[in-house]
Amino acid sequence: MTPPPPSLLPQQIAPADGRQSALTARHLGGDPEALYDYFMALRGESDRALAALPPAGGKPYPYGRCEEITRDLFARLSQRLARPDGPVEQALRAFVEDGGILQSVWGVLREQYFQNALQVGSLYVDVSNDTVVVTKPKVEILPIEASGLVPVRDLAHFRQTAERYWGAILYANHLVPTLAPLLPILSVSPGRLVPGLQSACDYMIGLMCRDRFQDAEGWLETGPPPPGEFATAFLATVPADLRPLTGEGRLEAVAACRRARDAGCWAEPDWRTARVLDYLRLTRWAAARR
């Protein structure tokens, strides 16, 4: 698949400039109904593969499964385009080979909720359009400028959306300080999401690195600490080597940001990978204790 320009963060929607608009019209503009039907057929395959997922937020599939559906469908699409079969796949392959952008994207949709989708040149292709309002069509294709999808600007924008979309209560991550530079928020969303660190998506990790953890440090310094009983319960789900070394979790989290900045970790892929692996270890450890 065609990656976005290097100046953009992972999963950030790329500008639908004149070249992308021209490529989209040339390769994909002739039969929009066929393009829609193709993505609907792929969505059907994803549904059959994912329908057994447990309820999200107490509601059955596909509710709340935007990320899983988009990831599964994008993987299927990538495999198909390696050996295209049929006019739509051949057109998509030619579009990519000609320089058209085809990528998964993530952001805030219409200032209401987080959304995963696909960017196909100048088109926004939402293949999980029914995961909030399940009566909506499964697939929606719009010009990017009409989609309402925007990048998360900063942690304040993320927090605002999380509070609105997830009904979340948000605390500063003073409980897993070594992960705080990348995952500075601890979210609690009763009846919807299990308590957890936010946000481990590629875009937000990239956003924290882009300003060298300054935004993360500010929130860790001033954000509300997790309350006592909740903090005790959450720490019981954290591996011992990731817990605070002292009783001063706030100071440890802030210090972790400063050390990572001074060491240039914001530009070190190996450091980011190690922190993500720690996060994955934490999630597995926590799941085993629930």
Side-chain angles (χ1 to χ4, degrees), residues 169-173 175 184-188 195-198 226 230 234:
I169 303 168
L170 304 175
Y171 303 109
N173 172 18
L175 303 183
I185 295 174
L186 177 56
S187 71
V188 183
L197 302 181
Q198 302 296 340
F230 169 76
F234 187 84

Side-chain angles (χ1 to χ4, degrees), residues 33-286:
E33 185 174 344
L35 187 67
Y36 180 86
D37 290 344
Y38 177 77
F39 279 108
M40 279 292 291
L42 277 183
R43 170 61 194 273
E45 293 181 16
S46 294
D47 284 342
R48 289 188 287 275
L50 301 175
L53 286 173
K59 298 181 181 181
Y61 180 90
Y63 180 83
R65 295 300 185 178
C66 171
E67 179 183 358
E68 292 86 349
I69 291 169
T70 305
R71 183 172 60 241
D72 181 89
L73 190 146
F74 188 61
R76 293 175 188 277
L77 178 61
S78 301
Q79 292 173 350
R80 295 287 188 84
L81 295 191
R83 294 185 177 181
D85 180 26
V88 173
E89 287 180 3
Q90 290 167 359
L92 284 166
R93 173 67 176 266
F95 166 77
V96 170
E97 290 179 341
D98 211 9
I101 291 174
L102 180 53
Q103 63 163 342
S104 65
V105 293
W106 178 85
V108 176
L109 187 64
R110 304 178 190 118
E111 295 300 338
Q112 294 180 339
Y113 39 78
F114 300 118
Q115 183 70 22
N116 292 269
L118 304 182
Q119 178 178 6
V120 185
S122 62
L123 296 177
Y124 164 87
V125 181
D126 183 354
V127 296
S128 56
N129 190 49
D130 58 337
T131 55
V132 177
V133 180
V134 296
T135 56
K136 292 173 68 174
K138 292 176 180 289
V139 172
E140 180 179 53
I141 301 178
L142 295 170
I144 283 177
E145 61 269 18
S147 70
L149 185 71
V150 299
V152 173
R153 296 184 296 273
D154 49 29
L155 280 180
H157 191 202
F158 180 91
R159 296 195 304 270
Q160 178 188 61
T161 307
E163 289 168 348
R164 180 181 296 135
Y165 180 29
W166 296 336
I169 303 168
L170 304 175
Y171 303 109
N173 172 18
H174 298 163
L175 303 183
V176 194
T178 58
L179 299 187
L182 296 182
L183 303 169
I185 295 174
L186 177 56
S187 71
V188 183
S189 184
R192 303 189 69 178
L193 299 173
V194 297
L197 302 181
Q198 302 296 340
S199 168
C201 73
D202 290 340
Y203 178 89
M204 289 301 296
I205 288 174
L207 188 64
M208 296 302 95
C209 290
R210 187 167 67 183
D211 77 346
R212 307 183 186 190
F213 319 116
Q214 296 280 2
D215 199 6
E217 182 181 336
W219 169 250
L220 292 163
E221 279 193 305
T222 63
E229 288 187 6
F230 169 76
T232 300
F234 187 84
L235 281 171
T237 70
V238 176
D241 64 304
L242 298 180
R243 297 173 191 168
L245 297 175
T246 68
E248 297 291 341
R250 182 184 68 83
L251 295 180
E252 288 189 41
V254 169
C257 291
R258 294 174 180 171
R259 284 196 305 271
R261 183 182 310 117
D262 293 343
C265 295
W266 50 272
E268 289 292 336
D270 289 345
W271 178 84
R272 294 197 297 273
T273 298
R275 302 291 77 72
V276 170
L277 290 174
D278 279 345
Y279 168 75
L280 294 174
R281 177 163 59 92
L282 182 154
T283 59
R284 290 192 296 269
W285 209 85

Side-chain angles (χ1 to χ4, degrees), residues 1-45:
M1 298 300 177
T2 308
S7 59
L8 299 181
L9 296 175
Q11 294 183 289
Q12 183 174 348
I13 201 160
D17 58 19
R19 182 165 184 264
Q20 289 300 316
S21 297
L23 288 171
T24 305
R26 181 188 311 155
H27 292 286
L28 305 172
D31 194 348
E33 185 174 344
L35 187 67
Y36 180 86
D37 290 344
Y38 177 77
F39 279 108
M40 279 292 291
L42 277 183
R43 170 61 194 273
E45 293 181 16

